[in-house]
């Protein structure tokens, strides 16, 4: 029986196995026409990326102008960004990290400048969309000396340099040793105010990512059968996302594994009456979705329903607390109160809610804007964050419902409609 099921999964996800991810577009090429598979619900899915436009050159230029204004306000002469989501946000350049330095320097005055290994310079020039100053360093040279010279060429002799928070320490350390006359600070006062508040275009990309993932959920959940394991379910979700034109994965935690927020090593099989917690998303032109659904395969118990209903109530309380001008921590406080009032916890103790209620999201699946006690950031239009107050019962099961919301001029709005019931996760009944 297990071998038969594996064969079915291999056929049903053959499209996913035959797809190749494009490094530039994030789209997935179609599987070979020679591959013959049995018809599955995945075959009914359509590519949803038609007409979806990436961030424009003008918007990136506007971001840089805002960054320069924030540099002036914070007395920062330039910011240094190595290959990271910050680099992508401002320049549109994506670059894998290695031990070799590749970075962009955005000065308060003047054009963006880049530095990379000399043998990579032509490839970098193909990627950049503005700025033409690319400094290459040979393998026997110190990139840190090149960076120090770049600052000097910019007229920054005794100034202040903002270091992007995702910059690895050895790069920062090498630069400050070569430029001890400069002052180094965090670039957070520049990068966070830029990225925390999403533009209409960013919101549209986030909406598309969520639309695709919720469709992947509906299709994938309909294909779950007794005897499957978490990797089987994961592979189905990848194939579903791929059929719609993106790379995405939804991970499953089956049974007792769901009682740990990030899973356990065991891999129970799906069977009647077992909890299935799924969590994941996809990427649309760099922007992430993140959705969780929890349901029972087959017949649920009274305890499972009671905990599920409490979780849904807590999620809604967090959403209602997300009011313009209120501190972001209110989302966590409201959701956690529902759970602790029911006798769980208190605070982060289990059985109960062991982690923050939510996290910011954008180019990174987790970024600034955490819904957690102590975050006094006032809620404002453009902010995006998840609301996912999990209830974990160690040794038994866990329930997490996660949807991402964004702030509008009229208050919070969901990217996806929250789950309806333990036996109706998508409002189909």
């Amino acid at each position: 029986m297990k071998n038969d099921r594996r064969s079915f999964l291999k056929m049903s996800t053959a499209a996913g196995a035959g797809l190749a991810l494009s490094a530039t577009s994030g789209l997935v090429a179609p599987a070979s026409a020679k591959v013959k598979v049995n018809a599955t619900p995945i075959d009914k899915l359509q590519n949803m990326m038609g007409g979806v436009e990436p961030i424009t050159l003008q918007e990136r230029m506007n971001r840089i102008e805002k960054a320069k204004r924030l540099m002036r306000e914070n007395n920062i002469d330039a910011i240094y960004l190595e290959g990271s989501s910050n680099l992508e946000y401002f320049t549109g350049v994506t670059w894998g990290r290695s031990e070799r330095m590749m970075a962009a320097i955005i000065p308060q005055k003047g054009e963006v400048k880049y530095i990379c290994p000399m043998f990579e310079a032509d490839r970098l020039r193909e990627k950049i969309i503005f700025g033409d100053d690319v400094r290459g360093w040979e393998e026997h040279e110190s990139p840190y000396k090149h960076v120090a010279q770049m600052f000097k060429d910019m007229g920054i002799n005794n100034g202040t340099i903002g270091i992007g928070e995702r910059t690895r320490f050895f790069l920062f350390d090498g630069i400050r040793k070569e430029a001890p006359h400069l002052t180094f600070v965090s670039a957070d006062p520049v990068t966070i105010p830029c990225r925390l508040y999403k533009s209409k275009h960013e919101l549209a990309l986030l909406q598309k990512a969520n639309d695709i993932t919720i469709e992947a959920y509906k299709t994938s959940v309909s294909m779950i059968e007794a005897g499957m394991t978490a990797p089987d379910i994961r592979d189905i979700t990848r194939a579903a996302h791929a059929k719609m034109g993106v790379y995405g994965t939804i991970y499953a935690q089956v049974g007792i594994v769901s009682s740990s927020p990030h899973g356990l090593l065991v891999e129970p099989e799906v069977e009647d009456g077992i909890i299935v917690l799924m969590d994941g998303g996809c990427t649309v032109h760099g922007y992430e979705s993140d959705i969780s659904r929890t349901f029972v395969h087959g017949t649920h118990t009274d305890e499972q329903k009671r905990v599920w209903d409490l979780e849904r109530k807590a999620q809604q309380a967090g959403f209602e607390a997300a009011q313009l001008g209120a501190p972001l921590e209110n989302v966590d406080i409201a959701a956690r109160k529902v759970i602790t009032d029911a006798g769980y916890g208190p605070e982060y103790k289990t059985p109960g809610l062991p982690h923050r209620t939510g996290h910011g999201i954008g180019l990174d699946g987790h970024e600034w804007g955490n819904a957690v006690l102590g975050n006094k950031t006032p809620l404002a239009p453009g902010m995006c964050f998840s609301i996912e107050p999990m209830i974990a019962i160690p040794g038994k099961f866990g329930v997490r419902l996660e949807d991402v919301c964004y702030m509008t001029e009229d208050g919070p709005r969901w990217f996806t409609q929250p789950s309806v019931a333990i036996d109706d996760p998508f409002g189909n009944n």
Side-chain angles (χ1 to χ4, degrees):
M1 178 63 182
K2 196 165 191 175
N3 289 336
D4 291 342
R5 185 175 70 257
R6 296 290 185 189
S7 297
F8 164 75
L9 285 165
K10 188 174 291 184
M11 289 187 292
S12 68
T13 60
L19 293 167
L21 183 65
S22 164
T24 55
S25 67
L27 300 184
V28 183
S32 169
K34 295 180 181 179
V35 178
K36 303 296 182 183
V37 299
N38 289 351
T40 74
I42 291 175
D43 296 315
K44 298 179 182 180
L45 296 172
Q46 301 295 317
N47 190 302
M48 292 179 64
M49 287 296 291
V52 181
E53 297 295 332
I55 297 298
T56 64
L57 171 61
Q58 185 59 54
E59 186 163 354
R60 293 197 193 280
M61 293 176 68
N62 292 343
R63 292 172 176 180
I64 288 179
E65 287 307 309
K66 180 177 180 179
K68 290 183 175 184
R69 173 177 60 80
L70 290 167
M71 282 186 241
R72 290 192 295 271
E73 293 175 0
N74 290 277
N75 297 315
I76 295 174
D77 294 288
I79 58 174
Y80 171 94
L81 308 172
E82 75 151 315
S84 65
S85 56
N86 274 332
L87 179 75
E88 180 181 1
Y89 178 84
F90 289 105
T91 71
V93 174
T94 56
W95 199 272
R97 296 188 183 195
S98 73
E99 75 282 7
R100 296 182 173 99
M101 179 195 289
M102 181 276 155
I105 297 174
I106 303 177
Q108 186 189 122
K109 301 175 182 178
E111 298 296 319
V112 179
K113 303 181 187 302
Y114 304 87
I115 182 168
C116 71
M118 185 66 78
F119 69 87
E120 298 272 33
D122 288 342
R123 183 165 76 95
L124 177 56
R125 288 189 179 97
E126 289 181 339
K127 283 176 167 281
I128 60 178
I129 57 178
F130 47 73
D132 57 8
D133 190 342
V134 176
R135 309 284 180 98
W137 55 276
E138 300 288 7
E139 291 281 69
H140 68 285
E141 295 180 323
S142 165
Y144 312 115
K145 289 184 178 179
H146 280 267
V147 172
Q149 183 63 48
M150 291 171 74
F151 290 139
K152 184 176 181 180
D153 293 346
M154 296 176 196
I156 306 173
N157 296 309
N158 295 290
T160 300
I161 306 300
I163 301 295
E165 82 289 342
R166 293 181 181 272
T167 300
R168 291 167 295 175
F169 178 77
F170 76 91
L171 295 173
F172 161 63
D173 192 44
I175 294 169
R176 70 174 175 176
K177 287 176 179 176
E178 286 295 335
H181 54 288
L182 298 178
T183 299
F184 295 92
V185 298
S186 170
D188 283 0
V190 177
T191 57
I192 293 178
C194 285
R195 293 185 57 183
L196 186 61
Y197 309 99
K198 272 61 178 181
S199 68
K200 289 182 179 180
H201 194 165
E202 289 179 287
L203 292 174
L205 294 175
L206 287 163
Q207 183 65 67
K208 178 61 69 172
N210 280 274
D211 290 345
I212 291 173
T213 292
I214 204 67
E215 289 304 315
Y217 258 108
K218 293 175 181 178
T219 296
S220 300
V221 170
S222 75
M223 296 174 65
I224 295 176
E225 298 179 354
M228 288 184 178
T229 61
D232 298 330
I233 298 170
R234 175 204 63 204
D235 291 345
I236 292 172
T237 70
R238 286 179 175 170
H241 276 104
K243 190 66 163 52
M244 290 183 282
V246 299
Y247 176 77
T249 303
I250 304 170
Y251 296 95
Q253 296 171 238
V254 179
I256 191 175
V257 183
S258 66
S259 67
S260 175
H262 288 168
L264 302 169
L265 295 178
V266 296
E267 292 290 359
E269 292 188 353
V270 173
E271 60 185 23
D272 184 68
I274 202 167
I275 282 274
V276 179
L277 190 163
M278 297 174 66
D279 187 352
C282 70
T283 302
V284 170
H285 291 308
Y287 287 83
E288 305 264 350
S289 58
D290 193 3
I291 302 171
S292 295
R293 291 290 180 265
T294 303
F295 52 91
V296 172
H297 183 77
T299 305
H300 60 261
T301 66
D302 290 342
E303 181 186 22
Q304 289 168 338
K305 183 178 185 303
R306 176 175 55 78
V307 175
W308 193 100
D309 290 345
L310 181 64
E311 165 72 4
R312 180 66 188 90
K313 182 180 178 182
Q315 186 191 37
Q316 184 62 28
F319 180 78
E320 292 174 359
Q323 297 301 311
L324 290 171
L328 188 46
E329 69 174 353
N330 281 12
V331 176
D332 182 272
I333 292 170
R336 195 174 301 275
K337 184 176 187 302
V338 170
I339 294 171
T340 56
D341 283 354
Y344 293 98
E347 299 174 339
Y348 297 98
K349 293 183 175 61
T350 57
L353 172 51
H355 54 64
R356 66 194 175 204
T357 292
H359 57 81
I361 190 168
L363 281 175
D364 293 309
H366 288 198
E367 59 181 46
W368 310 274
N370 292 327
V372 66
L373 187 66
N375 189 347
K376 307 293 185 180
T377 304
L379 287 160
M383 294 174 65
C384 302
F385 51 93
S386 69
I387 302 181
E388 48 176 314
M390 178 184 190
I391 300 176
I393 305 176
K396 298 183 74 173
F397 64 88
V399 177
R400 180 167 63 247
L401 302 174
E402 175 185 14
D403 295 274
V404 174
C405 75
Y406 61 101
M407 300 302 296
T408 74
E409 297 289 349
D410 300 317
R413 183 175 300 172
W414 293 114
F415 281 115
T416 49
Q417 288 304 307
S419 196
V420 174
I422 191 170
D423 54 0
D424 187 18
F426 309 109
N428 296 323
N429 296 340

